[in-house]
Amino acid sequence: MSYFNDPTALMKLIGTLADGFQNTLYIFFMTLLFSLPLGLLVALGRMSRHKWLSAPIGLYILVMRGTPLMLQIFAVHFMIPNLLGINLDRMLSTIIAFVLNYAAYFAEIYRGGILAIPQGQYEAGKVLGFTRQQTFIRIIFPQVFKRILLPTSNEVITLVKDTSLATVIAVSEIFRAAKNEASRTASVEPLIVAGLFYLVMNAIITQVFNYIVRKMDYYKG
């Protein structure tokens, strides 16, 4: 079957994939909503002088970055419910796995940005009468934000593509919908159309980050 030679069939395919794309967007936005702030907390914990806090967080980051996300999705959906005696919805399992995984990556991005700020910035804040917390919020974090924009954009773009991994526990996102259509019709065209969805979404994200970078050009620190 050739969708590209049949506009009616192509529009029907796009509609089918659009339904799956809603779940893709849900996974994407929920992951960012929770992993970005969690990543900052993890980064601060990783930088703590207290070994009882920094050591376990360091191990968590190592595990999350050192094992496949697909394996982590399986672990959350199958192992944790067995250990705790609870049932997790497939979508909830996916969100939890993605948040834990991406929080670890964002934590290292935050940590790199924070460590790149000269110690003199903290001393300057102290001279101005700021507490260490006020110094971080008013002086350090705005500089960190600019420094981490590009590496963060790379992770966000990767996240768009990683959402396809949700299919391993039968979450009905766009890649699963495309794969089902491809199997049903013995055609690769549904996969090509799904690829275009990902491409357009990443093009939009790239433009958003480029806009933010331009807006922050006023600050050259």
Side-chain angles (χ1 to χ4, degrees), residues 182-199:
S183 299
R184 185 179 66 83
T185 61
S187 170
V188 298
E189 291 177 6
L191 297 175
I192 294 174
V193 175
L196 292 175
F197 272 85
Y198 289 116
L199 181 62

Side-chain angles (χ1 to χ4, degrees), residues 11 14 16 34 40 43 53 65 78 83-85 94 116 132 135 148 151 164 178 181 186 198 202 209 213:
M11 292 306 297
I14 292 174
T16 300
F34 291 104
L40 179 58
L53 179 60
R65 299 175 71 204
F78 295 108
L83 291 174
L84 301 180
T94 300
R132 192 168 182 84
T135 300
I148 68 173
S164 63
E181 283 296 308
Y198 289 116
N202 274 330
F209 273 96
V213 169

